[in-house]
Amino acid sequence: VFSRLPIAIGVDIGAIETVLALSDLRGELQSVKRIRNTKNPEQTLASVAEEISSLVHSSTAYRELGGIGVSLIGLIDVEQGTIVEGENLGWPQPIEVGKLLRSKIKDVPLYFENGARLGAMGEIWFGGPHFSGIRDLVFVDINEGVGTGIMLNGQIYRGSQNGAGEFGHVCIDPNGPTCTCGSAGCLEVFASDLATVRRYIQRTRVSDDSAIDVKLIVELANKGDATAIEVLKETARYLGLGLAPIIYSLNPEVIVIGGKLASAWPLIEHEIRDSCAKRVSQPFLQSTKILPSTLRARASLMGAVALVLAKNFAVPEIF
Ligand SMILES: [Zn+2]
């Protein structure tokens, strides 16, 4: 019998907004709150801390709270909760998120992790039934950038300095445009939401492009808009190229495609596979399933909840 008591708080600090919620043991969310990020990180994080405190104290059984899991984008110092490098946030770096939140929230432990890694963890813990029991999974988080999170043998893989999984910065065209990382032709430059939106605006030459985002392009494509379909298929083909190094280096059981793009799955699935097949030999291609996220926009948030549960309830592995 599972308890319905809230036992964890998940916080997802994204590039544009922050989402917070209480969760029970089964990942049922309560009191979901959204805060629009501002240009000022201290101000934004102070509002986040206030919302966390109000969730902590609204919880009737707050002594039962196992902790607060916080999803951050970019290169993260997970112990300190510091964003060492995170170009897509538009905030001066490093950003000491942990220091700021811990100065205001003293009675509940805070845990930090990169959002793409938490997306991977979220899918395994709370995603579709076909993800349960998967040990080796890579989550490709497509948003303002392209992040990837790696779970190997059921554990988050961070690398030596928390930097593992930067497949968004693998070069797929040496003559391609400059990337935020300083290199050129990275997967991110071609397959991020920003790239998709940019291509759509170029093709349609709309006069007011302020309302155009990938959500809208997916909606238009699903209604049959030819330009929207073409632009999404193009993003999918670039993405397929970018999956080849993931398959060859890690040979995961599953690659999960997350982000708004995943809502166009019937339109893009074939394009992703087809373009990936041009770079990967058959036995490798057949050994890795490429599937859409089941948690969609909530993958990192659910991963933040899973992070708290793992700290409190998972049996430590004995080597
Ligand atoms: Zn790059």
Side-chain angles (χ1 to χ4, degrees), residues 220-255:
L220 290 168
N222 286 334
K223 283 182 197 157
D225 180 296
T227 310
I229 293 171
E230 184 189 302
V231 164
L232 291 177
K233 286 190 184 233
E234 203 169 321
T235 299
R237 286 194 289 275
Y238 286 123
L239 183 58
L241 300 180
L243 301 187
I246 300 177
I247 294 174
Y248 274 143
S249 61
L250 297 169
N251 188 217
E253 290 169 80
V254 181
I255 295 175

Side-chain angles (χ1 to χ4, degrees), residues 266-287:
L267 287 171
I268 60 172
E269 179 181 11
H270 176 76
E271 247 65 26
I272 294 173
R273 271 181 220 290
D274 205 45
S275 121
C276 191
K278 293 193 177 102
R279 298 283 181 103
V280 177
S281 71
Q282 271 304 315
F284 280 90
L285 195 64
Q286 280 165 6
S287 65

Side-chain angles (χ1 to χ4, degrees), residues 168-170 179-184 186 188-189:
H169 294 294
V170 166
C179 179
T180 52
C181 74
S183 179
C186 300
E188 178 166 307
V189 180

Side-chain angles (χ1 to χ4, degrees), residues 94-222:
I95 309 158
E96 295 180 306
V97 180
K99 194 174 166 192
L100 201 143
L101 294 183
R102 282 176 176 138
S103 74
K104 300 191 186 240
I105 299 153
K106 299 191 185 292
D107 40 1
V108 187
L110 283 137
Y111 306 108
F112 297 90
E113 187 52 270
N114 164 279
R117 288 184 198 143
L118 291 179
M121 201 174 177
E123 293 290 353
I124 289 178
W125 280 61
F126 297 117
H130 53 292
F131 291 139
S132 74
I134 298 281
R135 309 286 292 170
D136 300 323
L137 177 147
V138 175
F139 185 84
V140 181
D141 192 7
I142 301 168
N143 43 57
E144 285 69 20
V146 175
T148 49
I150 304 167
M151 296 284 285
L152 293 180
N153 199 22
Q155 305 285 316
I156 289 176
Y157 181 73
R158 297 190 180 86
S160 67
Q161 297 289 324
N162 285 311
E166 287 294 346
F167 288 102
H169 294 294
V170 166
C171 177
I172 61 168
D173 177 3
N175 302 314
T178 309
C179 179
T180 52
C181 74
S183 179
C186 300
L187 171 63
E188 178 166 307
V189 180
F190 296 102
S192 71
D193 284 358
L194 295 178
T196 302
V197 167
R198 205 180 304 123
R199 275 203 303 275
Y200 182 82
I201 291 169
Q202 278 167 4
R203 304 272 163 85
T204 53
R205 298 196 183 91
V206 284
S207 50
D208 179 19
D209 56 23
S210 57
I212 294 170
D213 59 10
V214 169
K215 187 164 172 274
L216 178 71
I217 298 173
V218 170
E219 278 168 24
L220 290 168
N222 286 334

